[in-house]
Amino acid sequence: MLLRVRVALPDRPGSLGQVARTLGVAGADIVQVVVLERLGGRAIDDFTVVWPGGAGVERLRAGLGAMPGVRVDGIWRAIGAPVAGAFDAELLTQVAANPNEGLATLVDTVPALLAADWAMALQVPADWAARGSVGIDARHGADDMAVLGAVRKRPAPPVVYASWRAPEQLLLPEVTPLRARAITGADGTRYALAPFGRAGLVLVVARTADAELPVAAFHATEVDRVAQLVRAAAAIVGDRLDGAKAPAPREPQRSAEAPASAV
């Protein structure tokens, strides 16, 4: 299976090679390395690796954790082959080629770009934040705005379009104010949010928490990448976004054997 491994390590010569060797000894075949950050003598790198199917990741985590100065920020399943930033231009080309389906194209494609599980476009009404209160999960402090364990008591924003892996029953954390950012849900799901700037539309990209694989939060560079894609797609699709509506709920089908009315 394909895994994404996020590692924080000392930013000095040889550190990257040592991590690569450790991954190889553990049985991982590296297919891509992306440097997310280099700051203050530290670096954060994402390794995409092929990992033997059925093999546990304990030895992988233990090997990396034993290295001095190295911290494992996340190990999670990557959907599809790794892609580089150059693919962003190809995605926007597809959106421009068929702007009527531009929103669906963006939502369906973004998860693969960011090693995420699913994405959806929500339509957040202007008064949505005022429709009820929000309870903060007891596992997180009420002052911790970076990790919102929020349970909404208001109606969920309508889903305009969702990728095929998106869950039907969804409990999102607080999505307002509408600005690009990364947040974490009460169940550990990691989210990246980016507003389109019109029609109340917000793109939500998610990495689902796993008991065995600790999923990493979206890095600032990833959130910025999502925001840039959303802004560019919004400029291409234009006024078509104003007409985007959540699909009407389907009425339950009546059984053929059931009578139309009771006498």
Side-chain angles (χ1 to χ4, degrees), residues 8-263:
L9 66 159
D11 187 15
R12 59 172 180 258
S15 292
L16 183 61
Q18 291 174 359
V19 171
R21 283 193 295 273
T22 300
L23 289 170
V25 170
D29 183 14
I30 300 173
V31 296
Q32 186 186 58
V33 181
V34 176
V35 179
L36 296 176
E37 177 182 306
R38 298 181 66 182
L39 183 65
R42 301 280 293 174
I44 298 178
D45 297 343
D46 270 3
F47 294 81
T48 303
V49 304
V50 176
W51 185 250
V57 299
E58 291 80 7
R59 71 174 184 271
L60 180 60
R61 190 184 298 118
L64 292 171
M67 299 180 61
V70 172
R71 183 186 73 242
V72 179
D73 286 346
I75 303 175
W76 69 101
R77 290 180 178 85
I79 307 301
V83 293
F87 192 81
D88 294 3
E90 176 61 27
L91 167 59
L92 295 175
T93 299
Q94 295 176 20
V95 172
N98 187 4
N100 289 326
E101 298 296 328
L103 182 62
T105 300
L106 179 69
V107 173
D108 284 335
T109 307
V110 161
L113 298 183
L114 296 167
D117 292 308
W118 54 266
M120 62 174 55
L122 301 178
Q123 193 161 46
V124 183
D127 63 342
W128 181 81
R131 297 182 183 181
S133 59
V134 174
I136 302 299
D137 189 276
R139 290 176 296 174
H140 306 296
D143 295 331
D144 185 0
M145 300 305 291
V147 182
L148 288 175
V151 179
R152 280 198 311 275
K153 297 179 181 179
R154 62 176 69 92
V159 178
V160 176
Y161 187 84
S163 64
W164 71 277
R165 293 174 60 88
E168 293 184 4
Q169 299 297 325
L170 188 64
L171 181 62
L172 284 173
E174 179 67 79
V175 297
T176 54
L178 301 183
R179 57 181 174 81
R181 68 192 192 280
I183 54 179
T184 300
D187 60 354
T189 301
R190 308 289 195 169
Y191 298 99
L193 309 177
F196 285 81
R198 60 193 309 162
L201 290 174
V202 179
L203 181 67
V204 178
V205 189
R207 291 175 181 148
T208 306
D210 189 291
E212 180 186 7
L213 302 175
V215 65
F218 286 90
H219 190 267
T221 57
E222 295 177 303
V223 175
D224 185 59
R225 184 180 181 188
V226 173
Q228 290 182 28
L229 285 170
V230 166
R231 287 194 298 267
I236 295 170
V237 177
D239 294 343
R240 296 174 181 85
L241 288 177
D242 296 333
K245 301 292 184 183
R250 298 178 60 184
E251 295 184 0
Q253 294 183 350
R254 187 168 51 204
S255 172
E257 291 78 12
S261 62
V263 179

